[in-house]
Amino acid sequence: MAERSTAAVDVADNSGDDPLTAKADTAATDGVAEKQKAAEQSAEATEKKAVERQSGEQPSITAPELHSGHKLARRYRLEECVTRLDGFSSWRAVDEKLRRAVGVHLLPADHPRARSVLAAARSSALLGDPRFVQVLDAVEENDLVYVVHEWLPDSTELTALLAAGPLEPHDAYQLVSQVSQAMAAAHREGLAHLRLTPSAVLRSSTGQYRIRGLAVNAALRGITAERPQRSDTEAIGALLYAALTQRWPYDSDAYGLSGLPKGVGLLPPDQVRAGVHRGLSEIAMRALANDGATASRQEPPCTTPDELAKAVAAMPRVRPPEPEFTAPPEYQRTTYQQGTYGRPQVHPAATQPVVVPPPPLQSRTGRALKWAVSALLIAALGLGSWQIADRLLAADSGQKETPGPTPTVDEKPAPLKPVAIESAQDFDPLGNGSEKPQAIDLAYDGDPSTYWYTENYRGLGFANLKTGVGLVLDLGKAQNVSEVDLSFVGDTSVELRTAPSDATSQPSQPDAYTTQAKGQGSQVALKLTKPVTTRYVLVWLTELPSNDGGYRGKLSEVKIMG
């Protein structure tokens, strides 16, 4: 059995219940007898369910008894049971078609929450936001309902991070910023989490936070809320509180963290632990100032993820810590460096007389050299004096030299000014015509932690489907463009193209734009050889960085200078 990765498994129960391992099926020894027995048990079970339904009783639900090696849809091979609880089970599995690890939730088709789980999974899959662990499939088949989701082996649960100690202020700032923005986007689409615990938040090796179990975890448990936005906001505040203090903000222990002392109420993080960032402590209290929590210091509470995201954006940015400088060791000279390593030092018995050379230029040759140099100096002085006198005489006779043209001083070019972007639109004429339009505004919102992203292509070169994809920036009117600065997440190849200066509408094909510059990297400055007048600027991506088993472009910021 492969080794279990707690960072990658989407455990359905994030409340700290002990997961159970899967039980293997028992092989039959007598085929005929077992078939008769199975038929009798099936008939009895059918009759029992019918009686329960007629009497109005709720049938007892048990998790499906599957085993390692079982295949779903002849594709997903179950490897390890991670959780078996409340009538459903969670597994680590392998997608044999795409040869990658996945996670699977399983429950009987007659489970009372099977319909809501399917609906939640399909709604989450339609969101398509890379800040969430993606739902890959949601199927009802052979009396089973199963939900397949991404498996992230290179990510670490927040639970494991907090077990090692509280996070640095910069890491805690990134946590609350990214999670609040992601949940704000989910709520705008009508999706809530309601199970946002430390084990539902993952940090990738690049420092990006991702959320798993959106809508699905709550549906599996039958959890609902009258005010879902307030519930998720308070959950984000609890995550930030735990990240700052390594304590759970209530009087009970949870998720491997100690709770606050009983009877003291909700203390601000900077009163629980010394050295906590004051601004982040305020943000945590404003998010927790909901049901029964102590109000923050003169600041209004945040009751929605969007309000919380705006409050985090309004505070001064928390910078990452400066790298520590380690002084190199002092240089020590050794006998090995002097070239005498391994050889004994020789001490002569008598000091040999040293011949002192004569002072420089005191020999016969030296004296001759001095006389020659002196003669040359005298000749040079004489020649110079004659030339000066000749010029003075020419000036007295009225012969004046015609002054040459006054050299001009190169004027410094005028400094570049930022050009405002009026609107933007995704540009995918070689594909289906749409490339994540819901995230376009994130490419020029002034926040480098957010980004517009492309589809996740399962192969180099856009999986041979197209040669590029991008977005068109509308400047409102024709303006001078001298430079475009681009910030990507990952090494990306990009071209800068512009529409004709007289274009009054956006061209529909990439060849209708003129290529002005090319570049590659995560921070790309595309400088034009000379300013170009245009209204429409096309940022055309030609090669994408690898991302979660595929290739996806992420453009976090665009700045146009004219």
Side-chain angles (χ1 to χ4, degrees):
M1 184 178 293
E3 181 180 356
R4 174 186 174 190
S5 172
T6 56
V9 180
D10 187 1
V11 181
D13 175 38
N14 293 326
S15 66
D17 295 339
D18 294 332
L20 303 176
T21 57
K23 297 181 180 179
D25 289 339
T26 304
T29 57
D30 186 350
V32 176
E34 289 297 333
K35 288 181 180 179
Q36 293 177 352
K37 183 177 180 181
E40 293 174 358
Q41 290 178 346
S42 177
E44 291 177 0
T46 303
E47 183 179 355
K48 182 178 179 181
K49 288 182 180 179
V51 172
E52 288 175 343
R53 290 191 180 97
Q54 292 175 359
S55 61
E57 296 179 0
Q58 180 66 35
S60 60
I61 301 298
T62 58
E65 288 291 340
L66 302 177
H67 57 84
S68 298
H70 183 88
K71 286 187 182 180
L72 300 172
R74 298 183 180 180
R75 175 175 178 176
Y76 304 111
R77 187 180 72 248
L78 303 182
E79 291 287 324
E80 180 186 5
C81 183
V82 179
T83 300
R84 187 182 296 276
L85 187 68
D86 201 18
F88 64 87
S89 59
S90 297
W91 292 76
R92 176 177 58 81
V94 174
D95 183 349
E96 294 186 338
K97 183 177 181 180
L98 298 179
R99 297 182 180 179
R100 63 178 179 179
V102 294
V104 179
H105 296 308
L106 279 167
L107 67 164
D110 58 353
H111 195 287
R113 295 193 288 271
R115 303 290 133 213
S116 60
V117 169
L118 277 175
R122 289 166 180 170
S123 299
S124 178
L126 291 175
L127 180 62
D129 193 321
R131 293 172 292 190
F132 295 90
V133 174
Q134 299 295 299
V135 172
L136 306 175
D137 210 350
V139 180
E140 180 180 358
E141 181 183 59
N142 297 331
D143 296 329
L144 283 177
V145 168
Y146 58 90
V147 176
V148 183
H149 57 84
E150 284 183 301
W151 180 281
L152 306 177
D154 63 338
S155 299
T156 307
E157 283 186 5
L158 182 60
T159 307
L161 296 175
L162 295 179
L167 302 185
E168 294 290 336
H170 175 69
D171 293 333
Y173 172 79
Q174 291 295 327
L175 167 69
V176 67
S177 176
Q178 295 181 32
V179 173
S180 61
Q181 291 177 14
M183 289 309 306
H187 278 282
R188 284 194 291 269
E189 299 298 327
L191 293 174
H193 196 291
L194 306 182
R195 291 285 298 165
L196 202 54
T197 63
S199 55
V201 178
L202 308 174
R203 188 174 72 180
S204 68
S205 56
T206 59
Q208 300 294 318
Y209 288 93
R210 299 187 67 179
I211 304 170
R212 64 186 176 191
L214 177 66
V216 176
N217 276 7
L220 284 167
R221 292 216 158 259
I223 297 174
T224 58
E226 294 182 0
R227 295 171 294 181
Q229 294 203 53
R230 170 169 281 195
S231 298
D232 282 342
T233 304
E234 187 168 358
I236 299 173
L239 294 178
L240 176 58
Y241 195 104
L244 295 173
T245 64
Q246 203 185 11
R247 300 286 294 268
W248 196 239
Y250 305 105
D251 57 4
S252 58
D253 300 346
Y255 315 109
L257 302 173
S258 300
L260 298 178
K262 297 184 182 296
V264 300
L266 181 61
L267 298 174
D270 54 3
Q271 294 183 16
V272 175
R273 177 175 168 269
V276 171
H277 190 279
R278 179 70 176 272
L280 293 175
S281 178
E282 289 280 350
I283 291 293
M285 294 302 292
R286 292 177 64 183
L288 286 169
N290 295 328
D291 297 330
T294 305
S296 180
R297 303 183 183 104
Q298 299 180 356
E299 290 288 345
C302 299
T303 58
T304 67
D306 187 60
E307 291 179 1
L308 182 59
K310 291 178 179 178
V312 175
M315 67 176 290
R317 186 179 300 273
V318 180
R319 301 292 180 183
E322 295 291 336
E324 296 182 358
F325 174 75
T326 304
E330 295 184 1
Y331 176 79
Q332 296 181 352
R333 193 174 184 85
T334 65
T335 56
Y336 175 78
Q337 293 166 328
Q338 295 172 3
T340 60
Y341 176 75
R343 293 184 293 174
Q345 298 294 326
V346 178
H347 301 282
T351 304
Q352 300 293 331
V354 179
V355 179
V356 180
L361 301 180
Q362 292 300 319
S363 62
R364 180 180 298 177
T365 303
R367 288 194 295 271
L369 183 59
K370 285 195 296 183
W371 281 109
V373 173
S374 300
L376 288 174
L377 290 175
I378 293 173
L381 290 173
L383 180 61
S385 301
W386 177 79
Q387 289 179 343
I388 293 174
D390 184 63
R391 288 179 178 273
L392 291 175
L393 291 174
D396 292 341
S397 62
Q399 298 177 356
K400 297 182 179 179
E401 297 181 359
T402 303
T406 304
T408 60
V409 179
D410 294 338
E411 296 181 359
K412 295 182 178 180
L416 299 179
K417 297 181 179 179
V419 178
I421 301 173
E422 185 172 292
S423 63
Q425 183 176 349
D426 57 313
F427 191 69
D428 185 25
L430 308 180
N432 60 4
S434 177
E435 197 77 15
K436 303 299 181 183
Q438 70 273 15
I440 282 292
D441 294 343
L442 303 179
Y444 59 100
D445 60 352
D447 186 354
S449 64
T450 62
Y451 49 80
W452 168 76
Y453 53 94
T454 68
E455 299 286 352
N456 199 19
Y457 294 93
R458 301 297 180 180
L460 282 170
F462 300 89
N464 295 324
L465 299 175
K466 62 188 79 172
T467 58
V469 73
L471 70 162
V472 177
L473 308 173
D474 185 357
L475 308 183
K477 61 180 180 180
Q479 302 188 56
N480 285 341
V481 175
S482 300
E483 179 179 338
V484 176
D485 297 331
L486 304 171
S487 298
F488 295 98
V489 178
D491 195 36
T492 307
S493 295
V494 61
E495 294 180 0
L496 173 63
R497 301 187 180 188
T498 57
S501 59
D502 57 349
T504 57
S505 62
Q506 171 188 326
S508 59
Q509 294 298 322
D511 293 341
Y513 295 81
T514 302
T515 302
Q516 303 291 351
K518 300 180 180 180
Q520 182 177 3
S522 58
Q523 299 291 331
V524 183
L526 299 176
K527 298 181 180 180
L528 283 66
T529 54
K530 61 180 180 178
V532 173
T533 302
T534 184
R535 174 179 175 178
Y536 300 99
V537 176
L538 170 60
V539 178
W540 186 246
L541 310 186
T542 56
E543 289 186 17
L544 307 179
S546 60
N547 175 80
D548 296 338
Y551 297 86
R552 187 195 296 271
K554 299 177 181 178
L555 178 58
S556 59
E557 203 61 38
V558 179
K559 293 183 180 179
I560 300 180
M561 309 296 289

